[in-house]
Amino acid sequence: MTRTQPTAVGLLAEIAAIGRAADSGGYRRFAWTRADADLREWFAGQATALGLDVTEDRVGNQWAWWGDPDASRAAGRPGVVTGSHLDSVPDGGAFDGPLGVASSLAAVAALKAEGFVPGRALGVANFVDEEGARFGVACAGSRVLTGAMTADHALGLTDAEGTTMAEALRSAGRDPAAVGRDDETLARIGTFVELHIEQGRHLGDTPWPVAVGSAIWPHGRWRFDFAGEANHAGTTRLADRRDPMLDLAALIQQARRSAEELGCVATVGKVRVLPNGVNAIPSAVSGWLDARGPDEAAVRRLVPAVEAALGHPAVTESFTADTRFDADLAAGLAGLLGGVPVIGTGAGHDAGILSTAGIRSAMLFVRNPTGVSHSPAEHAGDDDCEAGVGALATVLRSLAGEARR
């Protein structure tokens, strides 16, 4: 029986139940968990069904190749790669990451159906641990791949239960000693194009279903640790308390004030409280601050301003500088797609990490009518999803070139 040509909408439907939480309707697809393994198996199966050769790099990122990437590189035509990620933030939506993977597979299927034969190897990537939801550092898969984060640093990261990434890898049947920068894989990539749902609503106010990315705002994550003294909530006088929750409250308020003053955005969205009892004064509280903005100097000033106001230092967990995609490539793709908008974004992506590593990179964004993301309410219409597949196929056809026959 002939296999029906896959569509992005159909492929997303196939994985709709994986990692979905019954209580929230959102997704909990964290790195090196059962849900992650199921998604990796699904990706490999879909790629194999399309006749692609599936490999993994030293970090565990998956690569599905149409053509031989090493032969293509040896001929002076390194590959064109697309793709995104399948993991999620806690209770995230169905499109952030998976839309890019599904669209990439559907675009390859469309090119094969029309009889196109690429003039250089064409790859689809599934990056591991892009959201950093389990171990705290976003884009961990691409950071270690490119050397932006060392293997030792990555393997020592811990999740909420105190499990290190090294331990999680062993539990998943992997060898932590194999993890590290992978120059062989990097050399196979000549150009990388990532399709992603827009996280914001620039396109929601336009007739355009697709846009081209110009840049990623600088952004970082910092942890504030506050110590207190555990005690009884009912018997300890207010004057006798050392309550670190008050320090957390001050952090949240000061982060908002500093962000407004500097033209940035700042969020305290993750908190750890010990012992976390309703009738106990906490002994320790940690709050994670996410700060971003269009001006890198302002973003870099925000945390020192918060530290000075609180009289308390922060621990830097990650920082990504202002990332500009290849301007000529972005302009060329916008023209190729009929003059679509070129827009920036405040969200981080693997494409930004690869771009910083010197790989020619670009992004396509698919319209998000409400702008909501990192939420079960995240959405893109079916027609817009398929418009994204069409745009991506057009881009891949142009970048890969037709093989001589």
Side-chain angles (χ1 to χ4, degrees):
M1 183 173 65
T2 303
R3 182 174 186 259
T4 302
Q5 183 177 320
T7 65
V9 173
L11 290 170
L12 287 175
E14 290 186 12
I15 59 173
I18 299 177
R20 192 168 195 176
D23 55 347
S24 69
Y27 289 90
R28 299 170 189 169
R29 296 165 166 170
F30 307 144
W32 309 117
T33 62
R34 180 70 258 172
D36 185 50
D38 290 344
L39 291 165
R40 293 171 65 84
E41 183 178 356
W42 172 84
F43 175 83
Q46 290 296 327
T48 300
L50 286 173
L52 309 182
D53 296 321
V54 181
T55 64
E56 292 186 11
D57 59 30
R58 293 182 60 195
V59 191
N61 302 309
Q62 292 175 293
W63 306 83
W65 288 102
W66 180 3
D68 185 340
D70 293 322
S72 188
R73 177 185 61 181
R77 299 190 303 274
V80 173
V81 181
T82 184
S84 193
H85 62 96
L86 292 172
D87 65 314
S88 76
V89 298
D91 291 317
F95 295 84
D96 176 2
L99 178 61
V101 175
S103 297
S104 298
L105 293 168
V108 168
L111 292 173
K112 281 179 168 277
E114 71 181 41
F116 176 79
V117 178
R120 62 182 69 207
L122 203 162
V124 177
N126 171 33
F127 286 98
V128 69
D129 202 7
E130 192 272 352
E131 295 291 5
R134 182 173 183 185
F135 298 105
V137 177
C139 299
S142 54
R143 287 182 191 274
V144 177
L145 167 67
T146 60
M149 180 166 62
T150 67
D152 286 345
H153 184 182
L155 295 171
L157 295 172
T158 58
D159 65 12
E161 276 67 54
T163 301
T164 66
M165 185 183 291
E167 291 167 340
L169 286 167
R170 290 192 193 96
S171 295
R174 294 174 173 272
D175 179 10
V179 172
R181 176 184 169 99
D182 194 330
D183 290 310
E184 182 178 353
T185 294
L186 293 172
R188 293 171 172 170
I189 311 169
T191 303
F192 179 70
V193 180
E194 181 174 4
L195 180 144
H196 205 280
I197 189 171
E198 185 190 5
Q199 294 168 295
R201 62 184 312 274
H202 180 98
L203 291 175
D205 298 323
T206 77
W208 298 99
V210 178
V212 172
S214 61
I216 296 175
W217 284 3
H219 55 280
R221 297 180 182 184
W222 293 264
R223 189 186 76 246
F224 285 80
D225 296 319
F226 303 110
E229 182 179 23
N231 216 326
H232 195 290
T235 62
T236 309
R237 298 184 308 172
L238 292 179
D240 293 337
R241 298 183 179 210
R242 290 181 54 215
D243 187 350
M245 196 65 81
L246 298 177
D247 298 315
L248 176 70
L251 165 64
I252 295 168
Q253 294 287 347
Q254 185 58 49
R256 177 62 178 259
R257 284 192 291 269
S258 295
E260 290 175 340
E261 292 169 359
L262 293 168
C264 302
V265 293
T267 307
V268 179
K270 178 181 176 181
V271 175
R272 181 175 61 206
V273 181
L274 298 176
N276 203 31
V278 68
N279 60 347
I281 299 167
S283 61
V285 173
S286 294
W288 279 260
L289 172 63
D290 180 299
R292 309 169 188 236
D295 177 22
E296 182 172 334
V299 177
R300 289 188 180 277
R301 290 200 303 272
L302 189 148
V303 175
V306 173
E307 290 175 318
L310 298 181
H312 195 90
V315 176
T316 301
E317 294 204 335
S318 67
F319 185 81
T320 301
D322 182 40
T323 303
R324 300 280 165 176
F325 293 119
D326 187 294
D328 291 338
L329 177 59
L333 296 187
L336 178 69
L337 298 176
V340 301
V342 180
I343 62 175
T345 179
H349 300 283
D350 292 307
I353 303 300
L354 295 185
S355 179
T356 300
I359 293 174
R360 185 172 176 246
S361 301
M363 290 196 71
L364 301 181
F365 292 112
V366 173
R367 179 165 51 197
N368 179 343
T370 66
V372 173
S373 187
H374 284 187
S375 157
E378 177 182 86
H379 180 71
D382 290 358
D383 289 344
D384 286 352
C385 289
E386 297 310 329
V389 172
L392 182 58
T394 297
V395 166
L396 297 178
R397 188 187 301 110
S398 175
L399 293 176
E402 183 84 13
R404 295 179 181 178
R405 303 192 186 185

